[in-house]
Amino acid sequence: MHQQPFDSLTEKPQFPGASADFVDHLEFIQPNVIAGIPVYRVMDRQGQIMNTSEDPQIPKEEVLNFYEKMTLLNTMDRIMYESQRQGRISFYMTNYGEEGTHVGSAAALDPSDVVFGQYREAGVLMYRGFPLDLFMAQCYANMDDLGKGRQMPVHYGSKDHNFVTISSPLATQIPQAAGTAYAIKRENTNRVVICYFGEGAASEGDAHAGFNFAATLECPIIFFCRNNGYAISTPTHEQYRGDGIAARGPGYGMMSIRVDGNDVFAVYNATKEARRRAIAENQPFLIEAMTYRIGHHSTSDDSSAYRSVDEVNYWDKQDHPISRLRHYMTSRGWWGEDEERAWRKQSRKLVMEAFEKAERRLKPRPELLFTDVYEEMPVHLGKQQDGFWRHMQQYREHYPFDLYDK
């Protein structure tokens, strides 16, 4: 039997699990063989465009809308945070310092795109037109709340705005978003799903499942990570040893980018391009937006326990997404002190009007506790409802029925 000449130097691995070459020397891969993934930006901290070819050329009216939404969100946060401290609502989470990630990404999407949030994406919903009255109604759990008073504050949701209702457990939205993106792909409707999460949530097992499903099923989805430095209370150097979250994308076969999350134009450009390609190529994209959580994680947190006041002040005063955008507008003569004073006064008035209205509204009808899970109420739930009403009638004087809708 005649054998063909064999050259071991040109032999290629045939293993089905990877694409690679053979080597004849032992070497473990170092975790930091290259410099960190670069951070894409369009503006510097003073609002100056770094590379004119990257300027998105957004019209003045839209840039002003960006700024008004970012500052309105900031105003709402300040008032609602204080309302929680006064005992008016039970819980709140601010968005201080992360407004650019919300508005920049929301502006690059189509209204028909489906949003899965974590719990710090109120600006996305605000940009889509969700009114202040409904933000307040949700936090106060009153009769106008779309969730009928069943959720914690800041757990927003709106079918009309394609914004899936927030759930508290971290990262549960990631595999759900991948599944939704697969369904959208099968419908062939030229839409994408965007799924927001923090770098802390990226440590959950659900993140792995969602990334892997999205990549192997070739789903049109944008995974948007807000890397704000501290998760709930854990600094990033204690969370992971690799190069952040964007570095994980190639391991799943995903296109990835790291952007300056305090640069609203960089976020806009990256999200817009990711959306275009996700639809055209049916593949997932991972965006890691580097930002900083200026506020406490929530009203249940005291961030002074794990970071210094000086550190927070730096980001608040020196590298804030709102001030950066204001510098940009001011340099073009689009915004000045008169406009700033007038808008600050108007935005506070808008928030306070919605706030006062929400406080006066009644709570949802108690019987709504038993609806919307089953199409037809099962026997066991009917028994619970009967027992609930018997208890209410027997001890009526102990319950503030006058505060509830009839």
Side-chain angles (χ1 to χ4, degrees):
M1 180 177 175
H2 179 69
Q3 288 186 328
Q4 295 292 328
F6 180 76
D7 183 0
S8 61
L9 296 178
T10 62
E11 184 183 11
K12 296 289 185 181
Q14 301 300 313
F15 306 115
S19 175
D21 292 323
F22 283 118
V23 295
D24 57 7
H25 57 278
L26 176 66
E27 181 181 8
F28 289 96
I29 297 173
Q30 297 293 323
N32 296 309
V33 292
I34 59 172
I37 294 173
V39 180
Y40 168 70
R41 70 173 179 172
V42 174
M43 291 188 290
D44 64 17
R45 286 191 296 168
Q46 296 304 311
Q48 299 299 312
I49 299 297
M50 306 293 293
N51 178 353
T52 55
S53 66
E54 294 296 317
D55 187 345
Q57 301 291 336
I58 298 172
K60 173 184 176 181
E61 293 73 20
E62 187 60 21
V63 173
L64 293 178
N65 183 42
F66 283 13
Y67 186 76
E68 289 177 354
K69 290 296 188 294
M70 290 164 70
T71 50
L72 182 62
L73 174 63
N74 190 270
T75 300
M76 183 179 78
D77 278 347
R78 294 182 188 282
I79 290 172
M80 295 308 292
Y81 183 86
E82 290 303 319
S83 74
Q84 192 281 333
R85 287 298 188 239
Q86 295 165 8
R88 296 169 183 261
I89 60 175
S90 62
F91 178 82
Y92 195 72
M93 303 182 81
T94 63
N95 303 275
Y96 303 146
E98 300 185 45
E99 296 91 347
T101 64
H102 299 188
V103 172
S105 59
L109 301 171
D110 187 87
S112 66
D113 296 334
V114 180
V115 178
F116 282 80
Q118 183 164 296
Y119 43 54
R120 209 183 302 279
E121 289 85 23
V124 177
L125 195 50
M126 182 176 284
Y127 187 87
R128 288 193 161 199
F130 196 68
L132 286 171
D133 284 344
L134 290 182
F135 278 112
M136 299 297 174
Q138 198 284 325
C139 289
Y140 273 89
N142 67 29
M143 61 188 292
D144 298 327
D145 175 23
L146 299 180
K148 303 178 184 178
R150 298 165 176 154
Q151 277 274 26
M152 287 176 62
V154 307
H155 288 51
Y156 310 112
S158 174
K159 185 176 182 180
D160 290 344
H161 297 89
N162 291 305
F163 192 100
V164 179
T165 302
I166 303 297
S167 57
S168 291
L170 282 180
T172 55
Q173 77 275 16
I174 299 178
Q176 294 166 2
T180 302
Y182 184 58
I184 284 175
K185 171 187 174 180
R186 291 173 62 87
E187 290 175 352
N188 196 28
T189 54
N190 289 327
R191 295 193 294 160
V192 298
V193 171
I194 187 166
C195 179
Y196 295 90
F197 55 95
E199 87 287 349
S203 297
E204 294 282 348
D206 279 343
H208 161 74
F211 295 165
N212 204 43
F213 271 119
T216 55
L217 295 175
E218 299 177 336
C219 299
I221 184 171
I222 301 168
F223 291 112
F224 193 103
C225 176
R226 298 175 292 92
N227 191 332
N228 63 25
Y230 283 96
I232 290 178
S233 60
T234 307
T236 53
H237 71 268
E238 295 180 14
Q239 292 184 50
Y240 51 74
R241 286 293 180 269
D243 182 22
I245 309 304
R248 302 178 193 180
Y252 291 98
M254 289 194 294
M255 301 290 287
S256 306
I257 190 171
R258 175 175 288 155
V259 305
D260 183 344
N262 293 345
D263 178 350
V264 68
F265 295 155
V267 174
Y268 173 84
N269 284 352
T271 308
K272 183 178 180 180
E273 179 64 6
R275 182 186 186 276
R276 183 189 70 80
R277 292 187 60 182
I279 292 173
E281 303 167 12
N282 271 327
Q283 65 167 318
F285 283 75
L286 173 61
I287 297 174
E288 182 183 21
M290 309 305 291
T291 183
Y292 189 84
R293 169 167 59 77
I294 291 173
H296 305 296
H297 175 73
S298 73
T299 49
S300 303
D301 175 45
D302 176 9
S303 64
S304 66
Y306 51 84
R307 59 185 185 177
S308 71
V309 174
D310 288 342
E311 177 183 311
V312 176
N313 284 339
Y314 166 80
W315 291 97
D316 190 26
K317 306 299 182 186
Q318 301 296 324
D319 196 3
H320 199 291
I322 291 177
S323 60
R324 191 185 296 197
L325 184 58
R326 184 180 175 185
H327 287 316
Y328 173 87
M329 297 189 303
T330 301
S331 68
R332 282 157 177 72
W334 295 353
W335 197 258
E337 290 299 329
D338 291 342
E339 290 88 352
E340 182 72 14
R341 281 192 296 268
W343 170 242
R344 291 288 181 175
K345 182 178 179 180
Q346 181 186 354
S347 62
R348 180 173 177 80
K349 181 174 181 289
L350 291 170
V351 174
M352 288 305 300
E353 286 175 349
F355 173 83
E356 291 167 1
K357 177 182 175 182
E359 281 206 317
R360 292 193 300 266
R361 298 292 282 168
L362 296 173
K363 298 294 184 184
R365 300 191 311 275
E367 59 264 29
L368 294 175
L369 282 168
F370 301 94
T371 62
D372 295 332
V373 175
Y374 300 98
E375 184 176 4
E376 295 183 8
M377 186 177 293
V379 174
H380 75 277
L381 194 57
K383 290 180 179 178
Q384 291 178 34
Q385 185 180 45
D386 291 342
F388 169 80
W389 282 117
R390 285 195 303 270
H391 177 86
M392 291 295 105
Q393 293 302 320
Q394 184 175 354
Y395 300 101
R396 189 177 186 86
E397 69 275 13
H398 298 290
Y399 293 94
F401 278 97
D402 58 319
L403 301 181
Y404 287 78
D405 185 31
K406 301 297 187 290

